[in-house]
Amino acid sequence: MNILPLPAFADNYIWLVHDGRRALVVDPGDAQPVFDALQRLGLQLDTILVTHHHADHTGGVAALREATGAQVYGPAREKIPEPAQRLNGGDHISLPGLGGLAFEVIDVPGHTAGHIAFYCESLGDAPAVFCGDTLFSGGCGRLFEGTPAQMLVSLTALAALPGDTRVCCAHEYTLSNLKFARAVEPGNAELVHYTARCEALRADHQPTLPSRIGLERQINPFLRTREAAVQQAARAREPHADDESSVLGALRSWKNNFT
Ligand code: ZN
Ligand code: FE
């Protein structure tokens, strides 16, 4: 099984999973990059997975479904293009077209109210999670429809996945996230090493993704709200950030205005 990020718009990735014949895509905000890849690789699109309702994740769904007949799966509690099979946290799906490839659905509210993630225990040689705009490498999504407490629960669930789980998120925000992460934790040596690796990839026009959950636990400040250094940095901005969710909220507001 192959996993590859198809660049779309300025900084989106549409994830394509295929076995050389059949394919699924995650969050096709635009149909054209998917049509191009299907043609280039000689693939039949069977399945479309949608993590949340934003247009940069759903804009290509209708055109792809009409052209290919692909089955759409998406969050139960959000408005996405119909017809779609609606999923809640804890649901399991398996895809006969792709050799029975199986996903577990995880509820990850925060960026949007009904955001879901798709976890696959064994995709090729390791697990993978398609987490939309919830967890990014080095960061997390903006809280458009949820609270810091909800986002903390969502990120904690993702951080609890096996360390070798590939993090397939929907935007190439890594370098700007890492710049912020270094402001939060200037003494984090792993963060410095990882930044150098990502800078080299971007200089070569390569994606920094997928990341890995184990790595994110070491470098992503939004997964590190229990660390003393992270709490201290958050409290320097918001002195009353005394529990983990208010630390996360303080980091998120700081990041919103960070350049
Ligand atoms: Zn979004
Ligand atoms: Fe997005």
Side-chain angles (χ1 to χ4, degrees):
M1 209 66 74
N2 304 282
I3 310 187
L4 65 156
L6 307 176
F9 308 119
D11 52 32
N12 281 71
Y13 290 126
I14 300 166
W15 289 91
L16 174 74
V17 177
H18 73 88
D19 65 2
R21 291 173 47 243
R22 318 288 284 269
L24 74 80
V25 288
V26 186
D27 287 352
D30 188 4
Q32 200 54 51
V34 179
F35 283 129
D36 292 347
L38 295 174
Q39 182 160 41
R40 185 175 76 243
L41 300 166
L43 303 171
Q44 160 77 42
L45 185 68
D46 281 332
T47 304
I48 299 171
L49 306 180
V50 173
T51 63
H52 68 292
H53 68 85
H54 287 158
D56 64 312
H57 301 249
T58 58
V61 169
L64 288 168
R65 195 195 50 241
E66 275 155 35
T68 64
Q71 166 75 55
V72 181
Y73 297 87
R77 291 177 293 125
E78 301 209 339
K79 191 175 176 315
I80 61 162
E82 295 287 353
Q85 185 161 330
R86 302 309 194 120
L87 301 168
N88 288 291
D91 286 347
H92 290 80
I93 56 172
S94 92
L95 309 175
L98 276 163
L101 194 68
F103 290 90
E104 179 185 343
V105 178
I106 307 173
D107 274 327
V108 288
H111 176 67
T112 62
H115 200 306
I116 58 174
F118 295 88
Y119 173 66
C120 181
E121 202 170 59
S122 165
L123 216 180
D125 59 354
V129 67
F130 298 91
C131 52
D133 290 355
T134 299
L135 173 65
F136 295 122
S137 185
C140 74
R142 284 177 187 258
L143 300 177
F144 288 123
E145 299 173 10
T147 62
Q150 284 177 313
M151 187 56 114
L152 178 66
V153 172
S154 298
L155 293 177
T156 302
L158 295 174
L161 296 173
D164 62 342
T165 303
R166 281 159 296 187
V167 177
C168 302
C169 52
H171 289 273
E172 179 63 66
Y173 290 160
T174 310
L175 289 185
S176 77
N177 286 339
L178 294 180
K179 187 176 171 197
F180 175 73
R182 292 195 306 279
V184 177
E185 271 191 293
N188 183 332
E190 188 54 44
L191 181 55
V192 173
H193 291 140
Y194 180 55
T195 302
R197 277 198 342 254
C198 291
E199 281 171 348
L201 285 168
R202 295 309 291 153
D204 197 27
H205 309 287
Q206 300 294 314
T208 59
L209 301 164
S211 179
R212 301 265 179 177
I213 287 289
L215 173 70
E216 293 303 315
R217 286 187 211 126
Q218 291 182 278
I219 60 94
N220 189 325
F222 294 91
L223 302 187
R224 295 172 60 76
T225 49
R226 284 152 83 162
E227 297 290 323
V230 173
Q231 296 195 346
Q232 218 169 51
R235 279 177 205 136
R237 316 283 304 186
E238 291 183 24
H240 300 295
D242 41 30
D243 61 6
E244 265 192 83
S245 61
S246 40
V247 168
L248 191 148
L251 293 178
R252 190 55 264 185
S253 333
W254 179 6
K255 173 72 165 71
N256 290 348
N257 302 306
F258 185 85
T259 44

